[in-house]
Amino acid sequence: MAEPNKWVPRNPELPGAEDGSVSKESALAACFAMALFYVAVLYAPTYVLRLAPASSLNTFMIRRFISVIFASLASILLCACLLPVRNYQGASLILSICGIRLDHLGRAVAIPLCLTSLFYVGSVVSRLLSFSDAWEQEELHQEAYLVRIFKAASQKLVDDAHFVVLNILAWRNYVVAPITEELVFRACMIPLLLCAGFKAYSIIFLSPIFFSLAQIIPFQLKIGSASGSGPPPAHLNHLLELYYGQKYTFSRAVLIVGMQLGYTVMFGWYASFLFLRTGHLIAPIVAHIFCNMMGLPIVFPNTQKAFVFSSFLIGCGTFFILLFPATSPDLYNSNTKHCRCWHEFCSWGRTL
């Protein structure tokens, strides 16, 4: 009898399912379908359910939250159906495959968060320099100034907490988008691609491509439609806003959006790397939330450009030095069985 934690093919005689693996064509088609559905479902309230236009931003965003949660659950179901896992192994094993685990949870949160923060050393230094300049220009007594700083920092903390709790866009940026995007584009896609026999480095570069394609295709459909409402996908919508709304030149608008899209793609590579190395979905989620909070790293500020840029380079250098040691699978798994990833993913396409 097979060990309970071993992968067993449902039907090895199916085409492309030799040794229990998923065919590459099936895995790619499933990943593309999940990516497309994740974005297309945002238009379901208008085009499918024929709901009346949202009366407020909150209503509009709540509809979208429900849509992407539904898309995420559908992606998990599709992943569970395609992976060669026996039915009796249950939902707990599927959740574990998707990186939804409680073991080593503290490390999976703290270490990737500290690692990600190294990219923002320049941003931190820039803010400290701004604080230093304000300190030098302050004419009041230092003790009084420190009290004012403490009160201002406390008030900002309260205001930020209030903003996050009550602002619907904060829920989108810091809760719904990071969790659902990482669940679909990392937790559901990566196991399928591994099971299909794709190498880890190929998967790291493939994952952001699915997201980019899914962003473009609904936009093309939207442009070709003469009816309906709702904004096009985020990056392309921003391009139109800069060009038509803020009257930027087309080349400058493309440059700005291109930099943002490039940053998004690079983060996709990094998030996929974190998921592959740690086996924890929480690792790319906390990195995603942190990056959304920090925005683009500050490289060339208005003042002290050389010092801030040097700090940025030092942070990036430290990041790359620690990248592999800080994401070693042994830190996040009790027993890797001398395998370079968790759940023996690297052997899925060969010995299941």
Side-chain angles (χ1 to χ4, degrees):
M1 189 173 80
E3 297 179 29
N5 64 340
K6 287 290 185 181
W7 303 103
V8 181
R10 286 177 174 161
N11 188 354
E13 297 180 359
L14 289 175
E18 298 83 1
D19 297 324
S21 64
V22 178
S23 70
K24 290 188 175 182
E25 293 79 7
S26 297
L28 289 172
C31 290
F32 180 73
M34 285 188 283
L36 182 60
F37 186 63
Y38 180 85
V39 177
V41 77
L42 297 174
Y43 303 94
T46 300
Y47 293 101
V48 179
L49 301 179
R50 300 294 182 180
L51 297 179
S55 58
S56 66
L57 176 62
N58 283 4
T59 303
F60 176 75
M61 294 307 302
I62 289 172
R63 288 179 181 178
R64 292 202 150 195
F65 292 169
I66 295 172
S67 298
V68 295
I69 290 171
F70 175 75
S72 301
L73 295 176
S75 296
I76 294 176
L77 181 61
L78 178 59
C79 181
C81 291
L82 291 177
L83 288 175
V85 182
R86 282 189 175 179
N87 293 330
Y88 72 82
Q89 292 175 311
S92 61
L93 186 55
I94 292 296
L95 293 177
S96 184
I97 295 169
C98 293
I100 304 173
R101 304 159 43 194
L102 295 178
D103 60 291
H104 302 82
L105 187 63
R107 292 181 183 180
V109 171
I111 298 177
L113 183 59
C114 293
L115 185 66
T116 306
S117 66
L118 292 173
F119 255 119
Y120 291 91
V121 171
S123 302
V124 173
V125 169
S126 178
R127 292 175 185 178
L128 288 176
L129 289 173
S130 299
F131 175 79
S132 176
D133 291 341
W135 180 285
E136 292 176 358
Q137 295 173 6
E138 180 61 43
E139 297 179 356
L140 297 177
H141 192 269
Q142 284 190 356
E143 183 177 355
Y145 182 61
L146 287 174
V147 171
R148 290 174 56 194
I149 288 294
F150 177 77
K151 289 181 178 179
S154 301
Q155 185 60 46
K156 188 176 188 306
L157 184 63
V158 172
D159 292 342
D160 288 348
H162 185 266
F163 173 79
V164 170
V165 171
L166 299 181
N167 189 282
I168 196 72
L169 296 180
W171 277 90
R172 180 196 64 183
N173 295 335
Y174 306 138
V175 180
V176 178
I179 293 176
T180 58
E181 287 179 12
E182 297 308 320
L183 184 59
V184 172
F185 292 92
R186 250 60 70 177
C188 293
M189 292 187 184
I190 287 179
L192 284 175
L193 295 172
L194 285 167
C195 194
F198 285 94
K199 300 297 183 182
Y201 61 83
S202 299
I203 294 171
I204 289 172
F205 286 97
L206 271 176
S207 295
I209 293 176
F210 291 119
F211 184 75
S212 299
L213 289 175
Q215 289 276 307
I216 293 171
I217 290 180
F219 178 74
Q220 300 287 353
L221 295 176
K222 178 66 181 172
I223 290 298
S225 174
S227 62
S229 60
H235 295 291
L236 294 171
N237 185 50
H238 191 203
L239 175 63
L240 296 178
E241 178 187 343
L242 291 175
Y243 183 63
Y244 290 108
Q246 301 185 27
K247 306 302 180 182
Y248 279 59
T249 63
F250 183 75
S251 58
R252 187 181 178 189
V254 168
L255 178 62
I256 293 173
V257 174
M259 289 180 62
Q260 293 176 339
L261 185 58
Y263 178 71
T264 301
V265 169
M266 287 189 289
F267 175 79
W269 295 338
Y270 175 56
S272 299
F273 177 87
L274 284 177
F275 185 79
L276 279 164
R277 294 279 291 176
T278 67
H280 270 277
L281 178 61
I282 195 66
I285 285 177
V286 296
H288 195 150
I289 293 172
F290 182 77
C291 289
N292 280 1
M293 294 177 68
M294 296 296 292
L296 291 173
I298 296 176
V299 181
F300 297 107
N302 295 329
T303 60
Q304 300 284 350
K305 292 184 179 180
F307 185 60
V308 173
F309 182 66
S310 299
S311 302
F312 172 76
L313 291 180
I314 291 172
C316 290
T318 308
F319 170 86
F320 286 110
I321 290 172
L322 297 178
L323 182 60
F324 281 90
T327 58
S328 172
D330 292 326
L331 291 173
Y332 307 94
N333 302 273
S334 299
N335 183 13
T336 57
K337 299 181 181 179
H338 304 291
C339 184
R340 66 178 181 271
C341 47
W342 85 109
H343 274 310
E344 300 181 279
F345 273 0
C346 60
S347 63
W348 274 21
R350 301 188 300 277
T351 56
L352 287 165

